[in-house]
Amino acid sequence: YTKSGYKFIGWKVYRSDTDQWRAVDSTGAQSWQSLVNGELPDGYSYYLYADGTSVARTANVGSEVHFYAQWE
């Protein structure tokens, strides 16, 4: 992936059936979190999936999973 002046760093993942984002806490534990006032809860950051990672087991059948490229 390329974006002029930026480096691709991974994928943020959103799960539509629960309106949640994949997140990680300060201990490294991953979970699905809802945004509070447009931001993840305190102590959480977005978990970034590496390109090519399979996430087939992270969503319920029939839900939509959206990937958003992250650049720095």
Side-chain angles (χ1 to χ4, degrees):
Y1 299 96
T2 61
K3 184 176 180 180
S4 182
Y6 293 89
K7 176 184 172 189
F8 174 77
I9 59 170
W11 298 97
K12 284 194 321 190
V13 178
Y14 171 75
R15 193 168 67 180
S16 63
D17 65 325
T18 61
D19 193 27
Q20 293 179 315
W21 293 85
R22 193 65 173 168
V24 61
D25 67 15
S26 60
T27 69
Q30 296 178 35
S31 62
W32 291 99
Q33 296 293 320
S34 297
L35 298 182
V36 178
N37 296 323
E39 297 183 3
L40 288 171
D42 287 342
Y44 287 91
S45 59
Y46 290 101
Y47 179 80
L48 294 179
Y49 285 91
D51 196 29
T53 301
S54 173
V55 294
R57 296 179 184 214
T58 64
N60 297 325
V61 173
S63 68
E64 292 182 8
V65 177
H66 304 269
F67 295 84
Y68 296 89
Q70 293 300 287
W71 306 90
E72 65 175 19

